[in-house]
Amino acid sequence: MADSLKQEIEKRRTFAIISHPDAGKTTLTEKFLLYGGAINLAGSVKGRKAAKHAVSDWMEIEKERGISVTSSVLQFNYDGFCINILDTPGHQDFSEDTYRTLMAADSAVMVIDGSKGVEAQTIKLFKVCVMRGIPIFTFINKMDREAMDPFELIDQIENVLGIRTCPINWPIGSGKNFKGVYDRNTQTISRFIAGDNGQKVETVEAKLGDSGLDDLITKEYHDVLVDEIELLDGASDEFDLDKVRAGQLSPVFFGSALTNFGVETFLQHFLDMTTSPLPRTSEGQAVDPFSNEFSAFVFKIQANMNKAHRDRIAFMRICSGQFEAGMEVMHVQGGKKIRLSQPQQMMAQERKHVEKAFAGDIIGVFDPGIFSIGDTLYKGKNPVKFEGIPTFAPEHFARVRQVDTMKRKQFMKGINQIAQEGAIQIFQEFNTGMEEIIVGVVGVLQFEVLQYRLESEYNVEIRMDQLPYEHVRWIENEDVDVSALSVTSDTKKVKDLRDRPLLLFTHPWSIQTALDRNEGLELSEFSRN
């Protein structure tokens, strides 16, 4: 039993894919799935009217816009490995869902558009990876289009993101003149041959300086390649696997996800460089993934994934041991034992029932309304309680109310369920009833998603009025009289779903004013989970 458990866990790789919008992340994800035999045809996300849609996008609004606004969880097998991909939204108006999904990953693949370089969204997501110290692998995409100078791209990654790089392969030209890539380790060239949708790849030994290469890639590109590799060998960081696994050095690969060029090479290197599931911390102690005792934490909750069933799924990352369908576990935050029912794994909206799963896997279980983001579940003699997932401070606020007063019940049910999923945060006026709802979000697209979901899933039409607040602070003092606090006239006193008091501020200086006027007041940017 112990040996088979160890073998299963060693096969697991769990990673997130991060990128700026349109860098090609969804296309790369689909090519991975093609190699694993999980799908037969990659979907197209090239616009609203496309007949096919990306397999990782399931919400109607995503299909209409050709973007990802929720995080998908996909699993496939390849070359003896069982791979779990956490596909994060790349849209600039992403939500907290993205942050939390990164908490469930052991490593991250960063996709960069070769023509645009490092973009704003990549920076935000990258910072979360650095905060967790997880390994980051870089795939510079779209080399079959006109791209920036590769040295400039490498400099951007190092200077903007602050991580050292080690190019594993190096591009020869780009756009119409893209010849392929040179593998620095094996000293081979993978030729990019246009036609047949770029499927045809020829790998040949390439001794730099050999006149035979002139015929293969032209003398002009051969001379450039010799100079660039010489410069790389002298100036770039050497490959160091320990630094890669510590999140201090990012291996860099060049290719084209759309034409399938360089994707399989990248996947093979990635699997060689990454490790089996990493330990998680429970009250200061590391929990060994290879332990016989099951443990997991909830990082995402999604309602109405199947409109026909009106269901609610809690996604959990298994941290140790083995999961078995119908097993009874301890729900730490609920303080009681529960049976995990209807376990399933996802391929976007396609589901399959799961009998067994192992450390590193992501599974969804039916949630009757008892789970919250960050909850711990375990089975065994040793109690486990994983560190909570922080609630990030919203940056945009709006007053929300239903148009039809007769639909108050549906409105409250819908807005509470969506809040419990973590896509939005809801607040109410301090010392008043729930007549006025204030919604806070990390990215403004979530307002549109909220409106769309309330109408399509709960049949409730709403009105939203944007509010000027940009900063939120939780009040840490447990004994403070909130109504007696002296604050500026543009500061609003509210409470969250758990009745914890908060202050909404329009300007940063209003925060300092509140602290100056109220001696001993303690404010926090994050809520305690």
Side-chain angles (χ1 to χ4, degrees):
M1 168 60 191
D3 284 347
S4 62
L5 177 67
K6 185 171 184 288
Q7 286 170 5
E8 285 292 347
I9 295 172
E10 282 177 341
K11 282 163 50 176
R12 263 63 191 172
R13 295 292 184 273
T14 305
F15 67 93
I17 302 192
I18 61 176
S19 82
H20 194 85
D22 300 324
K25 171 178 61 65
T26 303
T27 308
L28 182 64
T29 303
E30 292 193 336
K31 293 305 162 75
F32 287 160
L33 298 177
L34 277 170
Y35 284 117
I39 54 175
N40 298 318
L41 177 69
S44 169
V45 288
K46 302 303 289 179
R48 297 176 68 120
K49 294 181 181 176
K52 299 184 291 287
H53 299 286
V55 74
S56 58
D57 294 341
W58 62 267
M59 195 187 285
E60 288 298 323
I61 194 171
E62 297 180 318
K63 293 174 181 176
E64 288 172 11
R65 285 171 164 244
I67 56 169
S68 298
V69 291
T70 58
S71 299
S72 298
V73 185
L74 310 163
Q75 187 187 69
F76 69 101
N77 292 289
Y78 173 82
D79 199 22
F81 293 93
C82 179
I83 300 165
N84 294 281
I85 300 181
L86 296 154
D87 179 20
T88 64
H91 196 275
Q92 61 235 39
D93 292 325
F94 72 135
S95 73
E96 280 193 70
D97 192 30
T98 316
Y99 289 131
R100 282 190 288 265
T101 297
L102 285 168
M103 306 300 268
D106 291 323
S107 56
V109 171
M110 179 168 62
V111 186
I112 290 175
D113 185 329
S115 66
K116 296 177 182 173
V118 177
E119 299 175 87
Q121 200 57 32
T122 314
I123 299 168
K124 274 187 180 181
L125 297 173
F126 178 84
K127 284 179 179 174
V128 181
C129 295
V130 170
M131 180 177 79
R132 292 209 40 235
I134 67 175
I136 296 167
F137 298 81
T138 303
F139 185 81
I140 297 181
N141 193 24
K142 302 188 181 181
M143 292 308 297
D144 57 322
R145 302 182 188 180
E146 292 304 320
M148 291 167 58
D149 179 84
F151 283 105
E152 195 178 337
L153 286 163
I154 294 296
D155 282 347
Q156 268 198 13
I157 295 167
E158 295 192 343
N159 296 329
V160 178
L161 299 179
I163 189 172
R164 302 298 297 170
T165 61
C166 176
I168 304 299
N169 59 27
W170 195 251
I172 305 163
S174 69
K176 290 178 182 176
N177 296 314
F178 182 46
K179 307 295 183 186
V181 293
Y182 173 77
D183 188 304
R184 296 176 64 200
N185 185 39
T186 60
Q187 297 187 336
T188 56
I189 285 177
S190 294
R191 288 180 67 202
F192 177 77
I193 302 167
D196 299 328
N197 199 23
Q199 298 287 346
K200 192 176 177 188
V201 178
E202 183 181 56
T203 302
V204 291
E205 284 191 28
K207 290 185 179 174
L208 297 184
D210 190 321
S211 59
L213 276 187
D214 292 352
D215 297 330
L216 202 65
I217 59 173
T218 74
K219 185 176 189 316
E220 179 190 355
Y221 281 102
H222 183 190
D223 291 344
V224 171
L225 182 63
V226 169
D227 291 345
E228 291 184 338
I229 295 301
E230 191 178 331
L231 183 58
L232 269 183
D233 290 344
S236 74
D237 288 55
E238 287 187 19
F239 179 75
D240 182 325
L241 190 56
D242 289 337
K243 285 185 178 177
V244 171
R245 289 178 175 174
Q248 297 166 359
L249 180 71
S250 180
V252 178
F253 301 80
F254 294 83
S256 164
L258 187 65
T259 62
N260 232 5
F261 184 82
V263 176
E264 190 165 26
T265 303
F266 171 73
L267 183 57
Q268 289 165 344
H269 276 91
F270 172 82
L271 293 171
D272 286 341
M273 293 178 193
T274 49
T275 62
S276 53
L278 299 172
R280 299 278 156 160
T281 304
S282 163
E283 299 183 319
Q285 300 292 315
V287 175
D288 181 7
F290 295 95
S291 163
N292 286 322
E293 297 189 352
F294 167 84
S295 66
F297 70 89
V298 176
F299 69 92
K300 173 183 171 71
I301 294 170
Q302 187 75 55
N304 302 331
M305 287 192 71
N306 184 334
K307 285 187 187 177
H309 296 115
R310 292 280 169 190
D311 58 359
R312 183 175 145 118
I313 302 292
F315 288 92
M316 53 185 70
R317 153 75 192 236
I318 302 175
C319 300
S320 66
Q322 176 177 329
F323 167 86
E324 292 180 351
M327 72 189 296
E328 195 174 61
V329 299
M330 185 70 187
H331 177 213
V332 174
Q333 283 72 14
K336 61 181 180 182
K337 287 187 175 180
I338 57 168
R339 193 171 298 280
L340 297 179
S341 63
Q342 300 173 32
Q344 49 204 266
Q345 283 171 328
M346 305 289 162
M347 174 64 72
Q349 70 269 56
E350 299 295 319
R351 314 179 186 194
K352 62 176 183 180
H353 182 78
V354 177
E355 288 297 328
K356 290 183 179 179
F358 302 87
D361 284 342
I362 309 294
I363 60 168
V365 299
F366 172 70
D367 176 16
I370 60 172
F371 294 125
S372 295
I373 304 290
D375 282 5
T376 296
L377 302 110
Y378 75 90
K379 181 178 183 178
K381 297 175 184 174
N382 303 307
V384 175
K385 186 178 182 182
F386 293 113
E387 295 171 344
I389 299 175
T391 297
F392 289 82
E395 297 167 18
H396 310 277
F397 299 87
R399 184 180 289 107
V400 179
R401 60 186 182 278
Q402 81 274 20
V403 173
D404 183 349
T405 54
M406 300 297 287
K407 291 188 175 180
R408 181 71 179 174
K409 191 174 178 182
Q410 293 104 298
F411 169 68
M412 291 308 301
K413 180 184 178 184
I415 209 158
N416 272 289
Q417 284 196 342
I418 295 168
Q420 284 166 347
E421 292 172 29
I424 61 169
Q425 293 180 48
I426 58 176
F427 310 102
Q428 65 182 106
E429 290 264 14
F430 210 77
N431 292 334
T432 68
M434 286 291 280
E435 288 308 308
E436 181 173 280
I437 299 288
I438 295 172
V439 171
V441 297
V442 173
V444 292
L445 181 71
Q446 292 306 313
F447 285 136
E448 195 176 326
V449 172
L450 171 65
Q451 189 160 9
Y452 180 90
R453 289 192 60 189
L454 283 172
E455 286 183 17
S456 65
E457 294 172 19
Y458 300 93
N459 196 28
V460 175
E461 192 180 343
I462 59 167
R463 285 207 183 94
M464 276 192 286
D465 302 311
Q466 296 273 350
L467 297 172
Y469 309 108
E470 293 180 5
H471 310 276
V472 60
R473 294 292 184 272
W474 278 265
I475 297 172
E476 292 290 318
N477 316 60
E478 291 185 4
D479 56 348
V480 72
D481 181 358
V482 177
S483 56
L485 287 177
S486 174
V487 294
T488 54
S489 59
D490 59 355
T491 299
K492 197 171 191 65
K493 299 170 184 177
V494 296
K495 56 185 177 182
D496 65 13
L497 270 178
R498 299 184 190 178
D499 280 342
R500 293 174 297 192
L502 304 93
L503 298 174
L504 303 183
F505 299 97
T506 310
H507 303 288
W509 57 263
S510 300
I511 303 171
Q512 191 56 50
T513 302
L515 291 168
D516 292 343
R517 288 185 185 176
N518 303 277
E519 191 177 343
L521 179 65
E522 294 176 23
L523 302 177
S524 171
E525 277 190 67
F526 301 98
S527 78
R528 301 184 307 275
N529 278 345

